[in-house]
Amino acid sequence: MNNGKTAVIVVAAGRGTRMNHAVPKQFLPLEGKPILAHTLLNLAKIPEVDSITLVVNEDRIQWCKETIVNKYNIKKVEGIIGGGSTRGKSVLNGLMSLDKQTEIVAIHDGVRPFVGESLFKNIIKQAEEFGAAICAIPLRDTLKKIDKENEVKSTYDREGFWLVQTPQAFRYSLILKAYEKAEKDGFQATDDAAIVERLPHPVKIVEGSPLNIKITTPEDLVLAEAIYEIIYS
């Protein structure tokens, strides 16, 4: 049973180059609000979330405070801090800023605005029991490896392959130890679970949701608008 705080670190320091837009993707509008605002508002509604720390680029801290957190009265956002030169450094900045009474920390992408309450609760429950838990969906398409000339080199059995999402949740002491080790070793990964795996420590999988998309391209934004209609219509 978690008797300490459950904190969420929302990582939103990316530049969003794949969106091909002058404005970083997390600040683009979705149904009249920035994508990041939707993400924070959904997280703030979850009773198990005690606090949210938002990690953004230094030059966006005041803008996020005024235009998102204050405007939409998101009281659970207790801190807005500057990110680092990589995603890993941004997460570590967030971890170092947390209240030391934090028991569980969930790390979530700022551009995943449709995380559901039941999924979040399940992730937290598994993290309390096992120390580390992530959500993912099983791969349904054929998986092939190609070379630099776009020629197929091999085909893999999709059994056992999953597409990873966020949130990813951990005991605070565990994820902090893992990130400090990664920083010392100069190790970088594309998700937080990989940082924990190399300790080593087992990571539990929880089935995620196909609606829990990460908005990174113009096509994703179109899909997000359709998902919004499905959820809120």
Side-chain angles (χ1 to χ4, degrees):
M1 182 70 179
N2 175 18
N3 295 315
K5 292 181 65 175
T6 295
V8 182
I9 295 173
V10 175
V11 186
R15 295 292 181 183
T17 55
R18 281 177 289 178
M19 189 61 78
N20 295 321
H21 199 287
V23 177
K25 57 184 181 286
Q26 59 271 31
F27 306 127
L28 291 174
L30 171 63
E31 298 297 328
K33 296 186 185 78
I35 292 169
L36 180 58
H38 287 283
T39 302
L40 295 173
L41 286 164
N42 278 337
L43 288 169
K45 289 187 295 187
I46 300 173
E48 286 74 13
V49 173
D50 293 310
S51 70
I52 300 170
T53 295
L54 177 59
V55 185
V56 297
N57 286 312
E58 291 277 357
D59 60 0
R60 285 283 185 169
I61 291 176
Q62 190 62 30
W63 187 91
C64 285
K65 181 179 180 181
E66 295 173 359
T67 309
I68 296 181
V69 176
N70 290 350
K71 180 177 180 178
Y72 297 104
N73 196 28
I74 311 174
K75 296 185 182 299
K76 286 188 179 180
V77 176
E78 294 187 353
I80 307 175
I81 66 170
S85 57
T86 64
R87 184 186 185 280
K89 290 182 184 297
S90 293
V91 173
L92 183 56
N93 286 356
L95 291 170
M96 296 293 289
S97 75
L98 293 183
D99 184 337
K100 300 312 174 188
Q101 297 303 311
T102 300
E103 181 70 22
I104 298 293
V105 56
I107 302 168
H108 189 58
D109 297 321
V111 288
R112 287 190 191 268
F114 302 121
V115 59
E117 182 175 333
S118 61
L119 174 59
F120 187 90
K121 288 180 176 180
N122 199 4
I123 288 283
I124 295 301
K125 180 180 178 181
Q126 297 300 314
E128 289 172 358
E129 184 173 353
F130 297 101
I134 63 174
C135 55
I137 55 176
L139 185 66
R140 295 181 174 89
D141 296 316
T142 300
L143 185 65
K144 293 184 181 289
K145 184 177 182 179
I146 64 172
D147 60 17
K148 293 180 180 179
E149 283 70 45
N150 288 340
E151 292 184 1
V152 174
K153 305 309 294 181
S154 55
T155 301
Y156 293 89
D157 182 354
R158 66 185 174 217
E159 183 70 26
F161 283 95
W162 290 60
L163 300 172
V164 176
Q165 303 176 332
T166 67
Q168 301 188 0
F170 311 90
R171 291 194 193 105
Y172 178 49
S173 57
L174 176 68
I175 189 66
L176 182 59
K177 175 184 176 182
Y179 260 105
E180 287 176 338
K181 176 175 171 53
E183 177 73 8
K184 179 181 177 181
D185 297 344
F187 177 79
Q188 296 186 40
T190 55
D191 83 328
D192 309 291
I195 301 291
V196 171
E197 290 162 29
R198 69 187 293 270
L199 279 179
H201 189 283
V203 177
K204 192 75 171 179
I205 285 273
V206 170
E207 185 155 359
S209 167
L211 301 183
N212 184 27
I213 66 167
K214 184 177 182 181
I215 302 173
T216 58
T217 68
E219 293 78 14
D220 294 334
L221 191 52
V222 173
L223 179 58
E225 290 168 350
I227 292 172
Y228 185 94
E229 289 298 320
I230 291 170
I231 295 175
Y232 297 108
S233 62

